[in-house]
Amino acid sequence: MKKLILIPALFCLFMLNVASMCSSDDDSSSSDPTPIINTATQGTWKVTSYTDSGNDETNHFTGYNFTFAAANVLTAANGTNTYTGTWSVTSDDSNDDNPSSDIDFNIGFASPADFADITEDWNIVSYSSNTISLIHISGGNGGTDTLVFTKNN
């Protein structure tokens, strides 16, 4: 008798699993870059953490304030030096299991070398009104880079 109950229960469990695998991953809120763009353009930001393949290189950005401005202009200034780059937040439409990775946070600096190091198409780990956490896994050496911006008060 227990086998008769177990078989329909397993069948239902199997069908629920199949239904979830077949469901659409088109959650527009997870692939809409607008909320992240709106967050980034509010105020100025500082790099509070940058690791390049496990090496902490946060000190390269100490004292710099980053402004994510209109027309995709990214400015880093420390009162003495000002560097201009580009930024954008785009939907990459990939079909992976992490919805936040469906959006790329793109940063581009031509110079100096320390700023050129953060020129990547970053995946968003998380973001809030005060923090933007990014990750990039290198296709070449498989190293993992992380970058965290914290909003200035």
Side-chain angles (χ1 to χ4, degrees):
M1 186 68 175
K2 289 183 182 179
K3 287 183 181 181
L4 291 175
I5 294 172
L6 184 60
I7 291 173
L10 288 174
F11 178 75
C12 288
L13 184 60
F14 173 77
M15 292 308 291
L16 284 173
N17 191 30
V18 168
S20 69
M21 289 188 310
C22 294
S23 68
S24 173
D25 191 24
D26 290 336
D27 180 7
S28 61
S29 65
S30 68
S31 61
D32 180 9
T34 304
I36 299 163
I37 293 169
N38 291 341
T39 297
T41 56
Q42 299 300 310
T44 62
W45 300 79
K46 60 187 171 192
V47 172
T48 52
S49 177
Y50 172 57
T51 58
D52 184 358
S53 299
N55 299 316
D56 184 355
E57 297 185 10
T58 308
N59 64 320
H60 297 175
F61 306 97
T62 300
Y64 283 91
N65 292 313
F66 289 78
T67 304
F68 300 94
N72 303 103
V73 175
L74 174 57
T75 304
N78 69 357
T80 303
N81 300 311
T82 300
Y83 302 111
T84 303
T86 61
W87 77 286
S88 64
V89 180
T90 57
S91 177
D92 71 8
D93 295 328
S94 66
N95 281 331
D96 53 26
D97 293 335
N98 185 355
S100 65
S101 69
D102 289 343
I103 299 178
D104 285 338
F105 198 106
N106 308 292
I107 296 174
F109 281 100
S111 65
D114 292 334
F115 285 77
D117 283 347
I118 63 172
T119 296
E120 295 290 353
D121 56 336
W122 297 89
N123 287 326
I124 298 169
V125 175
S126 64
Y127 75 96
S128 69
S129 61
N130 296 316
T131 306
I132 302 171
S133 298
L134 309 170
I135 190 169
H136 177 79
I137 300 172
S138 174
N141 64 5
T144 300
D145 302 340
T146 60
L147 178 61
V148 179
F149 287 98
T150 302
K151 190 174 185 179
N152 289 313
N153 293 330

